[in-house]
Amino acid sequence: MLKAAFPGSFDPPTLGHIDIIARAAGIFDELVVVAAENIRKKYLFSAAERSEMLGRLTEGLPNVSVAVCDSLIVDFLRKQGIRLLIRGVRGTGDFSYEFEISMMNKALDSGIETLFMTADPKYFVLRSSSIREIASFGGDVSGMVPPLVAQALREKRRLGCDNF
Ligand code: ADP
């Protein structure tokens, strides 16, 4: 049984994230998408909102589940009996950052293996932070996120949320 985890902020989930999830779900027997909850970080969407969106977006993928992690990811993985960590890379900038993180995780737990998946060329410019910024000005993000995320972003703006 090959079980892997795909952790991230997913604030909000983008078409790039969904592409990695769908491709990883086709490779591994089980995939757990892990929404990170770091109390030192400010999010636009709460962990409950992010995991709810991820759950709805992965409804069609029976071997995908969603969890929230508010601890070190290596501790979460150990508890779940998962050794494989998936990270998406959009380019060399992402890779050098992700490489360092993977070294840290290896130092914390030598049993963890990080596997990198390259972004689909269609989605490699997509970044949650830019999408939040565009959405905060009322820009059209419909080509960047699934419709339910676009709707949730419009709702945050309508409510005057200032966490963009
Ligand atoms: P972080 O955990 O750094 O806040 P994100 O939530 O933005 O990152 O992303 C989670 C994971 O998805 C990371 O491995 C990131 O590199 C990857 N990722 C983000 N956007 C894309 C994209 N457009 N295509 C492929 N992978 C992506």
Side-chain angles (χ1 to χ4, degrees):
M1 266 295 260
L2 271 184
K3 193 168 175 181
F6 178 44
S9 300
F10 306 110
D11 188 32
T14 71
L15 292 177
H17 293 134
I18 300 304
D19 176 63
I20 297 281
I21 293 170
R23 284 159 58 204
I27 297 171
F28 301 98
D29 297 306
E30 265 185 60
L31 181 73
V32 185
V33 181
V34 187
E37 173 71 328
N38 179 346
I39 52 161
R40 279 165 292 277
K41 236 171 137 172
K42 246 180 144 188
Y43 299 94
L44 174 60
F45 292 98
S46 69
E49 289 171 324
R50 286 177 283 130
S51 62
E52 201 256 339
M53 285 192 281
L54 287 164
R56 288 171 63 195
L57 295 169
T58 55
E59 263 168 7
L61 300 168
N63 60 337
V64 176
S65 58
V66 178
V68 171
C69 167
D70 62 2
S71 65
L72 279 176
I73 189 69
V74 291
D75 292 336
F76 175 88
L77 296 177
R78 204 179 297 120
K79 278 195 200 127
Q80 302 279 324
I82 302 176
R83 290 182 55 220
L84 304 176
L85 193 86
I86 311 297
R87 296 290 284 176
V89 284
R90 283 160 291 202
T92 50
D94 267 0
F95 183 73
S96 51
Y97 170 75
E98 295 291 348
F99 183 79
E100 273 186 35
I101 303 279
S102 73
M103 291 297 116
M104 302 260 258
N105 285 333
K106 197 83 178 153
L108 291 167
D109 186 335
S110 60
I112 301 292
E113 299 295 349
T114 304
L115 304 178
F116 300 109
M117 289 185 70
T118 51
D120 185 291
K122 283 200 293 289
Y123 304 128
F124 90 109
V125 292
L126 300 185
R127 193 169 292 280
S128 295
S129 55
S130 322
I131 291 169
R132 287 197 305 274
E133 176 133 20
I134 295 168
S136 74
F137 290 107
D140 179 14
V141 293
S142 58
M144 306 174 192
V145 294
L148 75 88
V149 175
Q151 177 58 38
L153 283 163
R154 278 194 295 275
E155 189 59 12
K156 288 282 178 197
R157 184 164 185 265
R158 192 183 68 78
L159 294 172
C161 179
D162 57 6
N163 268 4
F164 280 97

